[in-house]
Amino acid sequence: MSLLKRRAAYGALRASLAEGFAARLLGSGVNDARAFSAPAATYKPSDTVDVEIVRKKGIDLIHDPLFNKGTGFPVPERERLELRGLLPKKSLSMQAQADRFMEDYQLGKTYIDPKHVSDGGVTPDHVRRWKVLQELQDRNETLFYRLLLDNFVDMAPIVYTPTVGWACLNFHKLYRRPRGMYFDATDKGEMASMVWNWPANDVDAIVVTDGGRILGLGDLGLNGLGIPIGKLDLYVAAAGFNPGRILPVVLDVGTSNRVLKDDPLYLGLNQDRMSGPEYFEVMDELVKALMGRYPDAVLQFEDFNMEHATPLLDRYRHHHLCFNDDIQGTAATAVAGVYGALRVQGKSNKELAQQRIVLVGAGSAGMGVARMLALGMVKQGLTYEEATANFWILDADGLITVKREKQLSSTVEPFARKTQADVEGETLAATVKRVKPTVLIGLAGAGKLFTEEVLTTMGEHNERPIIMPMSNPTHRMECNAMEAQKATGGRTIFASGSPCNDVEYEGRTISSSQANNLYIFPGLALGAHLGATRVITDEMLMAAAEALGDCIPEEDLDKDIVYPRLKDIRYVSMIVAKRVMKMAYDMGHLHSFAAKKALEISDEELEAYVQEHMWEPVYKPLVNLPVGVQE
Ligand SMILES: NC(=O)c1ccc[n+]([C@@H]2O[C@H](COP(=O)([O-])OP(=O)(O)OC[C@H]3O[C@@H](n4cnc5c(N)ncnc54)[C@H](O)[C@@H]3O)[C@@H](O)[C@H]2O)c1
Ligand SMILES: O=C(O)C[C@H](O)C(=O)O
Ligand SMILES: [Mg+2]
């Protein structure tokens, strides 16, 4: 990318910051905002008009959601692209289309029978909105992403958790049009050629699941594809990945879910879930097929069960640019949240080392979080062994100690309690009473484990308890915000995996934050992609965590908010991407020449570089080139 172009992008960034500043001035009644208005038009050779090359015309174009503008095709474009007569004559602006959609989205009366909505926390209205949005995505992706970006706070819970959980449970009944790629165990030997059926020559990001553990809903087999789709929706909206260059993938290796297997409409393999060497063989073939065609793509592993999540990450992380979102993205998210909560308490990051942490759920997410928090404590001066002594980890069998008879996994083993006072299998309530933790984290996916007794005890021992029920979706969270605030007299610093409303308690409003890896994976992947980093290291993850924490404005900390506002998600992803790239550079992992150059010029230049590479959901003029004619 030329320096001229980058300068232009930086100019645009500065202009938009100035615009925001001007708006604040206007809001505060200061009239000098005019000083920021645009100067008289001058010729800028760098401000080129971005066009998009398309190889289709006529009805084929209208039926391609990546290029379709619906009634938004301008008249001259209709002439150029053989669309005349295929659409009502009147051309609407994108804004008019957006307004029309929002009316339907907000007020639509499509009836959904409540008995079809079995997932706690998801209402019939969520489901209606999910359907309306999905239909839009299937016909006009540019408008879909425009709306998702502009209404992120309202729409993220629809395309993502908790509603996406309902969509996965019902994927086989909802299936209408293909999205993403479907591989299964019977495709052995064919995958490397199958991957060439995907229409895009370039793919920047792939999210893959085997449906083994979808949110806290268990094994959903092929239905799990809804999760990579939802994650990649956020890649585009939150981090500006190009929707034409993303690929959601499911590998169907069977399912242990009897309800699905017995359902004649289920679309996956009707066989038990594979495991052992055979499983890894199939997975290896898929990874080689995907990386063979798209060697530069970032590969995100999503919602694998405990048996496979860590082994797969260890297997591929040194060979491909990949990460496991549940282990690593969640870990960085939790670290940022605890740092934020310490700042709310008026403390610094240094005091992470003094925290006593009880964590329920010793699975991939839980142990990723424990390890990263321990690494954070090491950064604050402890040895790793001293750090692990600050944790009490419980799983379905209670407190984990060295006396556990079952073999502990290598991720859990360093955290097994060693002292006499620690009773193997102790209940959560007893551990919390005895240990008096300052931080309580839930990643068990088992619902209401933070009982009134547990929460009350947290309140008894802490002036400001830090309570993070991080499981998803809503009805699998360990508690909700109201329960935590009621039991602790409104003193909890609260962050949950799925969104919770703020709580009205004794005449005041108490903030709830969302501790979800959505704050990390889009920016992390963007930084890795733009920096061509080839690997994602612990240092890069820690940089992402710290960057996330730094994005919380002071005035929000004063309101007990421990994550940035979701409306600022693009800014957050840009900062996370920048800091990931800077860390990669320091560690010798940044291989993009252009990114290196930007970084060596200045911090602002690097921000502009990231910004410039974020795809914007706007209608660009379409230029048709016949197949075979080079761009
Ligand atoms: N907020 C986020 O960003 C985020 C990210 C990743 C995962 N999660 C959520 O975390 C949960 C777990 O995910 P995972 O990948 O670690 O799952 P996993 O299957 O790998 O691990 C689950 C763990 O919970 C334990 N557990 C189950 N029932 C329990 C009970 N009744 N009491 C105590 N422990 C119990 C299991 O023994 C196991 O150790 C899911 O609900 C998932 O949605 C949230
Ligand atoms: O998908 C989410 O909402 C977060 C996380 O990846 C999970 O598995 O729960
Ligand atoms: Mg997940």
Side-chain angles (χ1 to χ4, degrees):
M1 197 55 63
S2 75
L3 191 64
L4 263 183
K5 259 206 142 187
R6 279 190 284 125
R7 292 234 163 277
Y10 181 52
L13 176 69
R14 272 221 309 256
S16 78
L17 290 176
E19 234 171 64
F21 185 46
R24 282 201 296 282
L25 281 179
L26 279 173
S28 61
V30 179
N31 284 327
D32 273 356
R34 244 169 291 121
F36 293 94
S37 63
T42 46
Y43 175 71
K44 288 195 232 133
S46 52
D47 284 353
T48 51
V49 177
D50 230 353
V51 298
E52 199 151 9
I53 305 296
V54 61
R55 304 281 174 176
K56 297 174 182 175
K57 282 186 182 178
I59 201 78
D60 289 347
L61 183 63
I62 293 177
H63 286 159
D64 186 336
L66 281 175
F67 299 106
N68 180 33
K69 301 177 184 177
T71 49
F73 279 111
V75 172
E77 202 162 65
R78 294 177 184 206
E79 293 292 340
R80 287 203 314 271
L81 299 172
E82 297 173 9
L83 301 174
R84 233 180 132 162
L86 298 180
L87 295 160
K89 190 144 275 166
K90 187 163 176 186
S91 176
L92 297 184
S93 68
M94 192 183 214
Q95 189 57 51
Q97 287 181 302
D99 292 346
R100 191 181 56 173
F101 176 87
M102 285 308 285
E103 200 170 317
D104 185 26
Y105 177 79
Q106 277 160 347
L107 304 172
K109 293 278 183 280
T110 318
Y111 179 72
I112 305 284
D113 188 336
K115 76 171 178 288
H116 294 315
V117 186
S118 55
D119 189 2
V122 176
T123 65
D125 199 51
H126 283 121
V127 171
R128 183 188 61 73
R129 287 175 187 230
W130 181 87
K131 289 190 169 178
V132 175
L133 273 173
Q134 206 210 23
E135 284 160 14
L136 176 64
Q137 187 177 23
D138 282 344
R139 59 177 189 269
N140 182 340
E141 296 211 17
T142 316
L143 186 58
F144 168 78
Y145 284 114
R146 175 82 269 151
L147 286 158
L148 180 53
L149 181 54
D150 291 349
N151 302 280
F152 197 75
V153 176
D154 179 68
M155 291 180 179
I158 307 297
V159 302
Y160 191 64
T161 188
T163 314
V164 73
W166 173 88
C168 287
L169 286 167
N170 295 284
F171 188 88
H172 56 300
K173 298 179 203 158
L174 297 165
Y175 184 88
R176 296 291 179 272
R177 290 174 64 110
R179 184 167 285 278
M181 286 199 82
Y182 304 79
F183 294 86
D184 72 42
T186 66
D187 292 323
K188 265 181 92 175
E190 296 296 320
M191 294 185 195
S193 46
M194 283 167 70
V195 83
W196 286 87
N197 290 339
W198 187 248
N201 282 330
D202 297 299
V203 164
D204 299 332
I206 302 170
V207 179
V208 63
T209 189
D210 71 352
R213 186 284 289 152
I214 295 298
L215 306 173
L217 303 169
D219 181 349
L220 296 187
L222 178 139
N223 281 19
L225 181 61
I227 286 289
I229 292 172
K231 293 275 171 185
L232 284 162
D233 285 347
L234 266 53
Y235 265 68
V236 178
F241 276 77
N242 183 325
R245 297 167 68 121
I246 54 173
L247 173 54
V249 175
V250 64
L251 175 63
D252 178 2
V253 290
T255 179
S256 55
N257 188 322
R258 188 132 301 284
V259 177
L260 285 180
K261 268 201 296 215
D262 289 348
D263 189 331
L265 287 180
Y266 177 57
L267 299 164
L269 291 180
N270 198 334
Q271 66 178 51
D272 288 341
R273 177 165 283 277
M274 283 164 64
S275 63
E278 214 194 341
Y279 173 89
F280 287 97
E281 252 173 58
V282 178
M283 198 66 214
D284 282 354
E285 183 178 335
L286 177 67
V287 169
K288 280 184 195 163
L290 293 168
M291 295 287 97
R293 183 166 182 207
Y294 302 119
D296 297 329
V298 181
L299 178 62
Q300 172 171 325
F301 290 96
E302 191 65 45
D303 287 6
F304 285 78
N305 64 25
M306 208 165 34
E307 184 189 343
H308 295 129
T310 304
L312 289 176
L313 180 62
D314 292 346
R315 195 171 179 91
Y316 305 121
R317 69 182 298 185
H318 302 294
H319 304 285
H320 302 295
L321 177 51
C322 65
F323 69 104
N324 180 300
D325 177 41
D326 299 292
I327 301 174
Q328 298 167 294
T330 315
T333 304
V335 169
V338 175
Y339 278 152
L342 291 175
R343 283 168 67 199
V344 166
Q345 293 175 343
K347 297 174 181 164
S348 70
N349 289 2
K350 200 128 202 72
E351 291 182 60
L352 178 64
Q354 272 83 60
Q355 302 310 305
R356 288 185 309 283
I357 300 177
V358 167
L359 192 155
V360 193
S364 22
M367 295 325 298
V369 166
R371 180 171 169 276
M372 189 93 178
L373 282 167
L375 289 177
M377 292 178 184
V378 169
K379 235 184 141 180
Q380 310 304 340
L382 301 189
T383 64
Y384 194 68
E385 210 182 335
E386 285 166 346
T388 56
N390 286 337
F391 290 80
W392 287 259
I393 312 277
L394 293 90
D395 67 3
D397 299 321
L399 182 66
I400 300 174
T401 72
V402 286
K403 297 202 193 89
R404 175 80 46 117
E405 277 172 16
K406 261 194 257 166
Q407 165 103 40
L408 295 175
S409 70
S410 61
T411 55
V412 177
E413 212 242 2
F415 290 89
R417 297 297 306 176
K418 299 170 185 65
T419 65
Q420 207 62 35
D422 291 298
V423 181
E424 169 58 37
E426 188 176 46
T427 64
L428 176 62
T431 304
V432 169
K433 271 207 177 87
R434 180 172 61 82
V435 168
K436 305 182 180 53
T438 53
V439 181
L440 179 63
I441 299 176
L443 280 160
K448 304 276 181 192
L449 299 180
F450 297 172
T451 57
E452 196 184 338
E453 184 188 5
V454 168
L455 295 168
T456 307
T457 313
M458 284 298 289
E460 281 165 7
H461 299 304
N462 295 287
E463 202 185 315
R464 302 297 317 267
I466 301 171
I467 300 182
M468 300 171 70
M470 289 180 70
S471 291
N472 294 314
T474 311
H475 70 308
R476 298 294 156 112
M477 281 165 24
E478 286 72 15
C479 70
N480 63 33
M482 182 53 106
E483 288 158 352
Q485 300 302 355
K486 259 191 181 161
T488 59
R491 288 177 291 120
T492 294
I493 302 171
F494 180 87
S496 53
S498 294
C500 267
N501 289 336
D502 293 346
V503 166
E504 296 301 325
Y505 181 79
E506 294 188 343
R508 64 193 176 97
T509 306
I510 309 173
S511 305
S512 307
S513 305
Q514 190 179 356
N516 191 290
N517 52 28
L518 78 88
Y519 279 112
I520 291 289
F521 68 78
L524 174 68
L526 183 66
H529 164 62
L530 292 180
T533 62
R534 296 189 199 153
V535 285
I536 290 178
T537 62
D538 284 342
E539 290 82 2
M540 287 156 72
L541 289 160
M542 195 59 91
E546 289 169 2
L548 176 56
D550 292 348
C551 289
I552 315 168
E554 284 299 327
E555 65 262 30
D556 279 355
L557 288 169
D558 292 344
K559 294 181 195 133
D560 296 355
I561 296 172
V562 298
Y563 287 97
R565 305 266 180 165
L566 276 182
K567 69 175 173 49
D568 298 323
I569 192 69
R570 270 226 169 172
Y571 174 76
V572 172
S573 299
M574 187 269 282
I575 297 292
V576 169
K578 176 185 84 167
R579 297 271 283 272
V580 166
M581 288 161 82
K582 284 178 96 164
M583 181 53 80
Y585 179 78
D586 291 346
M587 310 289 296
H589 293 307
L590 194 88
H591 298 291
S592 152
F593 180 72
K596 234 181 232 175
K597 273 272 155 270
L599 194 148
E600 280 163 1
I601 294 170
S602 70
D603 210 53
E604 286 174 338
E605 198 72 27
L606 183 60
E607 286 188 10
Y609 181 82
V610 177
Q611 188 99 351
E612 178 198 351
H613 284 83
M614 287 175 153
W615 179 85
E616 282 292 329
V618 290
Y619 289 148
K620 290 186 191 148
L622 296 178
V623 175
N624 176 264
L625 286 187
V627 179
V629 176
Q630 295 285 319
E631 284 181 28

